[in-house]
Amino acid sequence: MDADLTALAEAHGVATWYEDWHRERRDVSAESVIGVLGLLGVDATAPASVAAALTEIRSARERHRLPGTVVVRHGSTEPLTGTIHLEDGSRVEAAGQLPRDLPLGWHRLVTADQEVTLVVVPTELPEPPETWGWMLQLYALHSAASWGMGDLGDLRSFVEGSRGAGLVLLNPLHAITPTLPVPASPYSPSSRRFANPLYLRVADTAAYRRADPPLREQVDALRPAPAADGLIDYTAVWQAKRAALELLWPLAGEVDLTSDPGLTDFATFCALAESHGANWQTWPAELRRPDSPAVLAARTGDRVAFHVWLQQLLEDQLGAANQAARDAGMPVGIVHDLAVGIDPSGADGWLLQDVLAAGVHTGAPPDAFNQLGQDWGLAAWRPDQLIETGYAAYRDMLQRIFRRAGGLRVDHVAGLWRLWWVPPGMGAAEGTYVHYDPVAMLGILALEAHRAGAVVIGEDLGTVLPVVTETLERMNMLGSAVLWFTRDYDDPAEGYLPAADYPRNALATISTHDLPTAAGFLIGEQVRVRAELGQLAGTIEAEQEFADQDRAKLLFQLTEEGLITPDTPAEEIIVAMHEFLARTPCRFITASLYDVLGELRQPNLPGTTDQYPNWRIPLTATLEQVLADPRVARIAEVLSAKKGETRG
């Protein structure tokens, strides 16, 4: 690659090569680098434009121009001069270096010729407590009171019956675009800043309580019948809940559209989407900018107020679930899940378009399981625009989530260091990595978690740079230790790691939503399903042999730990898996209801779309049955008792 193009790419954090899953160097094509630079607003299509862009960068360096945001760790004495306008309104002078005792927070630094955002972030979070809990796909719950899927009323009931757990880890509850059909995946949301109204319990609203008996009867009659195929029908659930909430809307009382402009912006998107379709990129031209006169005129409508009200109801019901966690004495409480990105056609794609890379798709480079690479179809932050805007959108997202969370799991946490960008028109394997400022991304995450008194868990599975796991540990953020993946990689056979050798700074689980359940693993259900769907990379015989060998390795390790014998039945082996996790030094241990209840089907089968009912599989037991199930009680006893024995 041309030296000037390489220098320009490096200046903008665009990788010109990377290590693949074999730890071998892979050079990125010039076409891909040029395409990604274009997404960052940098013209690199000709030598002259590359030279001009490099000249501009050198000129800024020579003038000692500060970036739009300066992020420093607490106690740092960076060489800066100017007046610091602190968050509390007071001022501090920096004469050559920052004062060591600057408080944590969002400040402004005014120099002789610039004014920039100055963020002072923690060096680390408080040490997380040691506890155990439940890993819950909330939509999969169903009770006598819920409508077609688990809801926030079910969450509150589950928390109240959680048998001494210290946390409940949820799937993402991010907002949808309120149009039909409703997509099933919680990992491709319309907005990560707001919540999904499908999780509302209609009967728990103040408007329902105020309704007279005939109106309540009319609302109750809208409850959807169970789907004929036994799966969750999100579209039918939303149609029913929307109709019920519209009946109750006249009883909502006055809705304030001025107190939270960001919420009103989101509600405006929802109202416009109902009229013009789910994809804002196809709306009339005058509506494609959220600050246009036509959009500003639409911000006061009744439908906007309706969607503001829905979010207020969600805050109320999430608050009730969090209060139940506090009342139960949970040291952590409810932990939310942050998806790695958003649907570019949704609310955040419209509202935050100035800080997103238009047209990019995030994904992953080729690896052993996805040899063509992965294109997730999700939008990505522009790192340069985050810096220039003081990370305002990132800050707002985190503050809104932490307002209703005792903790946050960050999906694909390595994305806070770098993300794989696929330029428009290219295949997933033809992308490259774009780097972010981890001091800023991790530091701001730590700042907002610290202020909320929340814990942070990073999903650092798969091939990640060592610095990711090392930094999480240094900052008292937890990594992830999944039984299926935690191996002795110094062993040629890659056997399972003994419990005592697990990392301390981690959340330990048997599986994840993308992997086989405990019962499924024991019978090779993942091989059967993939063979049935034509998803196997090799022959069914080879895949079955691999699955059999892997199961034998696990059973060997459980036997070595003294947890099973050759004649231990499958249900007891699943208990032994939980006992194994309880012996690890990991700070958090969570049990999934899919594993505890012996469910065979995993929630999501990567590599499939309509071939498999991803995110639509309810638990076979009702919530009432789950709370009374002796298997749930036994696992709770195992995790809490073993925790006490091994950690004192």
Side-chain angles (χ1 to χ4, degrees):
M1 190 176 296
D2 176 80
D4 281 354
L5 180 58
T6 299
L8 184 61
E10 289 176 351
H12 288 278
V14 178
T16 57
W17 66 276
Y18 66 96
E19 281 190 355
D20 67 11
W21 79 95
H22 292 305
R23 297 297 185 188
E24 295 177 355
R25 177 179 171 129
R26 294 288 177 185
D27 290 316
V28 178
S29 71
E31 181 185 12
S32 178
V33 170
I34 291 167
V36 169
L37 284 169
L39 293 168
L40 291 166
V42 180
D43 182 3
T45 55
S49 58
V50 171
L54 283 173
T55 299
E56 185 178 339
I57 291 169
R58 293 185 188 114
S59 175
R61 287 173 180 166
E62 289 167 1
R63 297 196 312 271
H64 302 289
R65 297 287 293 174
L66 292 173
T69 308
V70 176
V71 180
V72 297
R73 295 190 180 102
H74 187 250
S76 174
T77 55
E78 298 290 327
L80 291 168
T81 296
T83 302
I84 302 166
H85 296 252
L86 297 176
E87 205 172 32
D88 64 5
S90 61
R91 297 184 185 184
V92 175
E93 294 300 323
Q97 66 179 28
L98 293 179
R100 191 180 295 275
D101 59 352
L102 278 180
L104 296 173
W106 297 83
H107 314 303
R108 300 290 297 174
L109 172 65
V110 181
T111 68
D113 59 352
Q114 279 185 271
E115 182 175 345
V116 302
T117 301
L118 174 65
V119 194
V120 181
V121 302
T123 57
E124 61 186 27
L125 289 174
E127 198 172 86
E130 297 193 41
T131 191
W132 70 277
W134 302 103
M135 192 162 57
L136 185 64
Q137 300 290 318
L138 180 55
Y139 60 83
L141 288 183
H142 50 103
S143 67
S146 53
W147 289 22
M149 61 180 281
D151 61 27
L152 293 172
D154 289 331
L155 174 60
R156 189 185 67 251
S157 297
F158 183 81
V159 167
E160 290 169 348
S162 58
R163 297 181 180 273
L167 66 101
V168 175
L169 171 59
L170 302 176
N171 59 285
L173 303 188
H174 301 318
I176 59 164
T177 297
T179 54
L180 305 178
V182 177
S185 174
Y187 287 96
S188 185
S190 181
S191 173
R192 294 185 292 180
R193 297 178 298 148
F194 300 96
N196 187 343
L198 271 75
Y199 287 105
L200 282 172
R201 174 166 290 183
V202 175
D204 283 357
T205 63
Y208 181 87
R209 290 190 291 270
R210 284 196 290 267
D212 59 29
L215 179 55
R216 286 193 189 185
E217 187 176 341
Q218 194 177 355
V219 167
D220 294 343
L222 291 168
R223 180 178 181 175
D229 58 7
L231 300 173
I232 296 168
D233 185 340
Y234 292 98
T235 295
V237 171
W238 177 231
Q239 286 175 311
K241 291 193 177 183
R242 182 181 60 187
L245 291 161
E246 285 169 345
L247 286 174
L248 296 170
W249 171 228
L251 302 177
E254 189 170 348
V255 173
D256 183 0
L257 297 181
T258 62
S259 61
D260 185 345
L263 173 53
T264 302
D265 288 341
F266 171 74
T268 302
F269 169 85
C270 293
L272 290 172
E274 289 178 324
S275 298
H276 301 285
N279 185 354
W280 64 269
Q281 295 159 331
T282 65
W283 291 357
E286 66 271 17
L287 299 176
R288 292 180 196 166
R289 290 282 313 177
D291 54 359
S292 72
V295 171
L296 294 176
R299 284 171 54 90
T300 58
D302 183 70
R303 203 62 186 172
V304 173
F306 175 74
H307 287 288
V308 168
W309 178 58
L310 296 188
Q311 290 300 314
Q312 292 172 344
L313 295 178
L314 284 161
E315 288 291 324
D316 291 344
Q317 295 189 11
L318 282 163
N322 281 305
Q323 186 59 52
R326 288 190 290 271
D327 292 345
M330 288 188 174
V332 176
I334 295 171
V335 179
H336 287 255
D337 196 350
L338 178 67
V340 68
I342 48 104
D343 176 359
S345 67
D348 282 355
W350 180 65
L351 289 165
L352 306 179
Q353 56 189 279
D354 291 341
V355 292
L356 298 172
V360 74
H361 282 185
T362 56
D367 60 28
F369 299 100
N370 299 278
Q371 297 187 13
L372 299 178
Q374 298 177 63
D375 182 344
W376 301 329
L378 302 175
W381 299 117
R382 273 184 58 166
D384 58 327
Q385 289 301 104
L386 285 177
I387 293 167
E388 288 308 306
T389 57
Y391 287 85
Y394 181 58
R395 171 192 182 183
D396 179 61
M397 177 188 74
L398 293 174
Q399 287 180 339
R400 289 182 184 276
I401 293 172
F402 279 125
R403 217 161 57 194
R404 54 179 185 261
L408 184 65
R409 174 192 178 272
V410 181
D411 190 42
H412 189 59
V413 73
L416 300 183
W417 278 260
R418 64 179 188 176
L419 269 178
W420 184 258
W421 284 25
V422 182
M426 292 190 176
E430 299 172 294
T432 188
Y433 282 110
V434 172
H435 292 264
Y436 295 79
D437 179 358
V439 173
M441 299 297 282
L442 267 291
I444 292 169
L445 174 60
L447 174 61
E448 297 306 330
H450 170 78
R451 290 184 156 182
V455 301
V456 174
I457 302 161
E459 186 271 292
D460 59 345
L461 302 173
T463 304
V464 299
L465 297 171
V467 69
V468 174
T469 300
E470 292 165 4
T471 305
L472 291 177
E473 183 168 6
R474 177 182 62 75
M475 297 183 70
N476 283 326
M477 297 177 177
L478 300 186
S480 300
V482 176
L483 178 60
W484 303 154
F485 289 159
T486 310
R487 309 297 185 103
D488 182 357
Y489 291 107
D490 293 329
D491 173 9
E494 294 189 354
Y496 285 84
L497 202 66
D501 293 342
Y502 267 56
R504 176 160 175 72
N505 193 68
L507 161 71
T509 63
I510 289 176
S511 187
T512 76
H513 52 255
D514 289 334
L515 297 170
T517 64
F521 178 85
L522 291 176
I523 65 168
E525 175 71 3
Q526 72 277 19
V527 177
R528 186 196 67 76
V529 171
R530 286 187 176 278
E532 187 178 284
L533 300 177
Q535 296 288 315
L536 294 181
T539 65
I540 186 170
E541 292 79 13
E543 293 286 339
Q544 189 63 59
E545 182 181 0
F546 177 82
D548 291 344
Q549 291 173 350
D550 205 19
R551 180 174 60 252
K553 291 175 188 176
L554 176 63
L555 297 180
F556 173 80
Q557 188 58 52
L558 295 178
T559 303
E560 286 289 289
E561 300 269 347
L563 294 171
I564 64 170
T565 63
D567 58 351
T568 300
E571 189 170 303
E572 290 300 313
I573 293 174
I574 293 173
V575 174
M577 292 180 194
H578 290 92
E579 290 180 319
F580 176 86
L581 292 184
R583 292 184 175 187
T584 70
C586 297
R587 291 190 180 277
F588 288 2
I589 304 163
T590 55
S592 166
L593 291 181
Y594 285 90
D595 296 330
V596 176
L597 300 175
E599 300 279 358
L600 289 179
R601 295 188 293 179
Q602 64 195 69
N604 180 56
L605 191 66
T608 64
T609 51
D610 295 336
Q611 308 97 312
Y612 185 84
N614 296 317
W615 314 113
R616 296 188 293 129
I617 303 172
L619 292 170
T620 52
T622 67
L623 174 58
E624 294 83 0
Q625 291 169 332
V626 168
L627 294 176
D629 196 300
R631 291 172 295 181
V632 173
R634 185 169 182 198
I635 294 302
E637 183 179 2
V638 163
L639 295 184
S640 56
K642 288 289 184 180
K643 174 183 178 297
E645 289 173 16
T646 57
R647 297 178 180 81

